[in-house]
Amino acid sequence: MQFIKKYWLSTSILITIIGLLITYAVKPSLFDFILKPSQRTIYERNFKDSPEKLLRWNNLLSNAVKDQVVVNNSIAEQVVTSNEKPFTAGYLINLKLGEVLMSTVDLQDSWILEARNLSGDLLQDAQLKNNALVLNYTPNKDIKIRVILQAKLETESQTEFKIYTAPQYDFPVAGKGNSAIQSFWGASRGGGSRKHEGNDVFAPKGHPVVAITYGTVSSIRNRGLGGKQVWVKDYDNGYLHYYAHLDDWIVKEGDMVWSGDTLGYVGNTGNAKNTPPHLHFGIYKNGSAVDPKPFIWRTQVPENTITLPQLINPRANGFAANLRTEPSSSSDILQDVKTAPVTIIGNTGNWYHVRTSAGLSGYMHKSVLVEK
Ligand SMILES: [Zn+2]
């Protein structure tokens, strides 16, 4: 009896597993809610055209993961894709701890948008938001990554594409912004004996100091260099926020606070007693201070104000026809293209984003490209 029971149990488990495997083979999308495949995987899975076409499309990605185009803070580009010339490009960007990578492309049905590390591994797949694809990637260390934008095949479009960074947190002094920070990380302190481990945000005495994110007041102190100080723990990200030189506080230990909640008021307690009132603001990770500036520094969403004409058969004009890493004449030169033909894949301001026939991608000023 015991044997038969065991036998039936293992047989039914086996049948269930085989059933699941068959279902997965026939209709893998039924498992998407568990396996969460990338947009790329879903696109490849549903690709009905010839396998050779898909292979060529995959090869475009292996070009893009080697692209040496650099984004210096931000870029807004008009990107172009067509049946004959499907768009694929990689963009390198340095992210500092505290900066959130943002990247958006309109017309989500036509594009794949991804953040990858320098080995080419996927870090984040863009999510759909209001008919746009959006990347929103928060690193846990300083890191260089590559944003990949690739058009799906058989699409024709000219679309707005952006890469920029945003601070991870809100600003710690109500109604103030970047210009109120007047002493930065690393400045000399104590006659050169130590370095400034925070940012000083200047505001009149009594101005509200606010929480920069959701967290818990972990301690309140009145002592030492910081004077009256409030510490807030951001449990979601593991950071401690330090608000010092306060005139006074209005929270107590254990309070939960939300972004924008008043913690206390700007003052000059502690070793700031002979300086104008300011907030000393610091962030600690695993007990060590990190530069708080990228966490709170306000940035702007870039706009591309010029749409350049699409040349039909563009080639370089042979005079200082430099392909560059950035849309700027002070950026690195990747190659002197001389008079070679190129493919225009986008533009930002007066610069075309092009790809050479050898597969090299970069920026060329509009003045060096002519109709063949
Ligand atoms: Zn300070």
Side-chain angles (χ1 to χ4, degrees):
M1 231 13 219
Q2 198 65 26
F3 168 75
I4 294 176
K5 234 187 194 167
K6 248 191 193 161
Y7 173 79
W8 272 111
L9 189 65
S10 46
T11 309
S12 45
I13 290 174
L14 194 65
I15 289 172
T16 311
I17 291 172
I18 292 173
L20 285 171
L21 286 173
I22 293 173
T23 315
Y24 180 73
V26 176
K27 203 153 178 53
S29 59
L30 287 176
F31 294 82
D32 284 0
F33 74 100
I34 308 172
L35 299 176
K36 302 210 179 349
S38 67
Q39 294 302 312
R40 181 178 296 278
T41 305
I42 294 172
Y43 179 66
E44 288 173 351
R45 193 171 70 197
N46 296 337
F47 196 79
K48 295 288 187 293
D49 215 326
S50 72
E52 292 75 31
K53 254 192 186 171
L54 186 60
L55 193 65
R56 280 205 298 278
W57 188 74
N58 284 326
N59 286 340
L60 292 175
L61 174 65
S62 37
N63 253 338
V65 295
K66 286 180 250 153
D67 278 349
Q68 292 305 308
V69 160
V70 174
V71 175
N72 189 358
N73 293 321
S74 70
I75 195 163
E77 198 168 302
Q78 193 77 23
V79 291
V80 187
T81 191
S82 68
N83 238 334
E84 306 78 53
K85 291 168 180 170
F87 180 104
T88 315
Y91 302 77
L92 290 166
I93 183 165
N94 278 309
L95 294 176
K96 291 192 208 87
L97 183 68
E99 283 177 335
V100 179
L101 168 80
M102 302 293 300
S103 181
T104 61
V105 65
D106 296 341
L107 304 169
Q108 44 91 12
D109 288 338
S110 311
W111 300 92
I112 304 279
L113 175 60
E114 305 165 326
R116 290 180 178 257
N117 67 18
L118 296 193
S119 313
D121 306 321
L122 186 65
L123 295 173
Q124 195 185 61
D125 201 21
Q127 300 296 308
L128 177 60
K129 245 182 226 164
N130 308 325
N131 200 35
L133 281 177
V134 179
L135 273 180
N136 179 328
Y137 176 70
T138 307
N140 59 6
K141 59 178 179 195
D142 292 356
I143 185 176
K144 186 185 235 181
I145 67 157
R146 199 179 262 110
V147 175
I148 300 281
L149 180 66
Q150 181 164 21
K152 294 176 182 171
L153 293 172
E154 322 287 322
T155 57
E156 302 258 346
S157 74
Q158 194 159 335
T159 309
E160 195 71 20
F161 174 57
K162 294 176 184 188
I163 301 175
Y164 55 100
T165 63
Q168 188 170 337
Y169 293 132
D170 291 326
F171 204 75
V173 177
K176 295 288 178 184
N178 296 345
S179 62
I181 306 177
Q182 282 164 27
S183 177
F184 293 90
W185 173 263
S188 174
R189 284 291 187 276
S193 63
R194 56 190 174 89
K195 299 252 186 243
H196 192 212
E197 292 194 326
N199 287 170
D200 290 343
V201 187
F202 286 79
K205 192 171 190 164
H207 206 86
V209 168
V210 294
I212 54 172
T213 192
Y214 166 76
T216 306
V217 177
S218 57
S219 70
I220 288 173
R221 300 266 181 278
N222 183 8
R223 66 175 186 204
L225 302 176
K228 291 189 174 177
Q229 49 197 270
V230 171
W231 294 78
V232 177
K233 177 88 182 176
D234 168 10
Y235 283 101
D236 289 345
N237 299 291
Y239 297 114
L240 256 181
H241 304 156
Y242 175 50
Y243 303 81
H245 305 320
L246 301 182
D247 192 47
D248 208 353
W249 53 68
I250 59 164
V251 287
K252 57 184 190 306
E253 285 180 8
D255 278 358
M256 268 162 58
V257 291
W258 275 262
S259 181
D261 284 356
T262 299
L263 303 171
Y265 302 101
V266 172
N268 59 346
T269 55
N271 71 336
K273 62 179 185 293
N274 297 319
T275 66
H278 67 273
L279 169 72
H280 171 94
F281 177 68
I283 295 183
Y284 292 78
K285 183 190 181 192
N286 303 326
S288 302
V290 296
D291 183 2
K293 185 186 157 201
F295 286 87
I296 57 170
W297 189 258
R298 307 287 100 189
T299 57
Q300 282 193 331
V301 179
E303 296 290 341
N304 180 31
T305 49
I306 301 169
T307 300
L308 293 175
Q310 283 300 307
L311 305 176
I312 310 297
N313 283 304
R315 67 164 178 84
N317 69 359
F319 178 71
N322 293 322
L323 183 71
R324 293 181 178 275
T325 54
E326 294 172 41
S328 144
S329 53
S330 59
S331 69
D332 292 343
I333 297 171
L334 288 162
Q335 194 181 66
D336 180 353
V337 184
K338 303 202 188 304
T339 58
V342 295
T343 301
I344 292 175
I345 60 174
N347 95 275
T348 176
N350 286 317
W351 292 79
Y352 284 109
H353 188 179
V354 305
R355 196 174 284 283
T356 67
S357 50
L360 198 59
S361 149
Y363 293 96
M364 298 184 77
H365 192 262
K366 65 173 184 181
S367 62
V368 300
L369 283 183
V370 291
E371 202 67 75
K372 208 185 311 186

